[in-house]
Amino acid sequence: MKLAGKIALVTGGSRGIGRATALAFAAEGADIAFCHLNDEAKADETAGEIRALGRRALHRWGDVADTAAGRAFAEQAARELGPIDILVNNAGINIRRPFEAYSEEEFDRIVSVHLKGMFFMAQAVYPAMVARGQGCIINVASQRGLKGAVNSAPYSAAKAAIMGFTRALAWEATPKGLRVNAIAPGPIVTDLTATMTPEDRQAFIDALPVGRFGRPEEIAATALLLAGPDGGFYVGATLSPNGGDVMY
C-alpha cells in the first residue's frame, strides 16, 4: 500500500481525472477528501466507491475560485480526517471560443478556477505541511499549456501559468520537506473533451501517434507515482502523459 495512512485532498474529485485519482489513491491506502461543483449524485457515488475500498471519504460542494470556501474545505478535511499529506489540484473548466469572442467574464472565470484556485488551495494546506516537514502537492495542468490550442486561449494560458507556478513553489517548498510537481495530460476521455465536436475529436485522434484518447486512470497512475514513495526525485517537474501529442 503505497499511500497507507495518508490523507489526500483532491479538487474536482467527483468525475474524470479527479475521480480516477481519488480511487487510485484510496486503493493504495489513502483516505480521501474531495470537492465538486454541483455534482452531488456523482460525488456520493465516488465516496461510496472509496468507502468500499475500506477508506474514509469526505466530500463537499465547493468552488475553488472562492478562496474562503477552498480554505474552509481544507480546514474541514484536516479536522475530520487528519493533516493533509497530499493535495491534488485538479478542478478545471473550459469555455471554447475563438480568441476574439471571449468576454472578460469568461476569461476571469477560466483563470480564477485554474490558476487562482490552485494557488490558494495550495496556500491553504502549505503551512501545516511545512510545520510537519512533509507533504506533496500535485497541480494538474494540460498539454495545451505546452503547445496551445485553437479556441482555448485563456485555458492554454492558465495551464502554462500552472507549470510556472509549480516550478516557483518547488523552489520554496522542497528545502522544507515538500514535493511539488505537475501533470500535463493530453486529450483524455472526460466531460471537458466531451464538448468537442465529433469532427474535432476525430481529427485530434487521427493526429495522435497512439491513435486514441487517454483514460483518466492513466493520469491517475502518474499522480500515484508523484504522490508515492517512488516519486521522491521529482522536483518542480511536469510529467505529460499525452499519447505523443507533445514530445519534448
Side-chain angles (χ1 to χ4, degrees):
M1 301 287 271
K2 294 181 179 180
L3 302 180
K6 300 292 186 182
I7 310 298
L9 191 159
V10 181
T11 66
S14 60
R15 55 177 74 217
I17 291 170
R19 175 182 181 278
T21 299
L23 292 175
F25 283 13
E28 289 292 341
D31 295 324
I32 309 294
F34 67 93
C35 61
H36 59 92
L37 191 63
N38 301 323
D39 203 21
E40 198 68 32
K42 292 295 289 186
D44 285 340
E45 180 182 312
T46 301
E49 293 187 48
I50 292 168
R51 294 179 184 120
L53 291 167
R55 309 313 309 167
R56 294 179 295 164
L58 167 70
H59 69 82
R60 170 174 165 170
W61 181 94
D63 184 348
V64 296
D66 182 337
T67 303
R71 186 175 294 113
F73 180 56
E75 291 172 354
Q76 179 187 5
R79 187 169 61 249
E80 296 190 21
L81 298 181
I84 305 301
D85 298 292
I86 304 161
L87 169 66
V88 181
N89 268 319
N90 166 76
I93 63 167
N94 195 11
I95 302 168
R96 296 174 58 81
R97 297 267 193 280
F99 165 71
E100 69 275 12
Y102 281 102
S103 68
E104 183 177 357
E105 291 75 17
E106 289 171 333
F107 177 90
D108 286 345
R109 179 62 179 160
I110 292 168
V111 173
S112 290
V113 169
H114 289 282
L115 185 58
K116 176 185 172 183
M118 190 168 289
F119 186 99
F120 286 104
M121 282 303 303
Q123 197 178 76
V125 302
Y126 187 76
M129 287 182 174
V130 169
R132 298 170 66 218
Q134 62 181 37
C136 174
I137 297 173
I138 300 170
N139 298 322
V140 178
S142 169
Q143 104 283 14
R144 292 186 176 192
L146 295 167
K147 63 176 285 188
V150 174
N151 294 336
S152 291
Y155 181 89
S156 299
K159 291 300 193 179
I162 286 166
M163 289 182 266
F165 164 59
T166 297
R167 291 189 290 270
L169 182 56
W171 278 103
E172 293 190 46
T174 304
K176 299 172 183 176
L178 280 64
R179 291 183 285 149
V180 183
N181 294 287
I183 304 174
I188 307 298
V189 179
T190 67
D191 290 348
L192 287 184
T193 54
T195 63
M196 299 175 72
T197 66
E199 295 78 15
D200 285 348
R201 176 187 294 268
Q202 191 57 52
F204 211 147
I205 290 172
D206 291 344
L208 285 170
V210 296
R212 66 174 177 86
F213 278 12
R215 295 177 290 107
E217 292 76 14
E218 292 175 296
I219 310 308
T222 305
L224 182 59
L225 167 65
L226 292 174
D230 297 325
F233 206 54
Y234 289 96
V235 177
T238 297
L239 302 189
S240 186
N242 63 58
D245 188 41
V246 181
M247 301 186 194
Y248 68 103

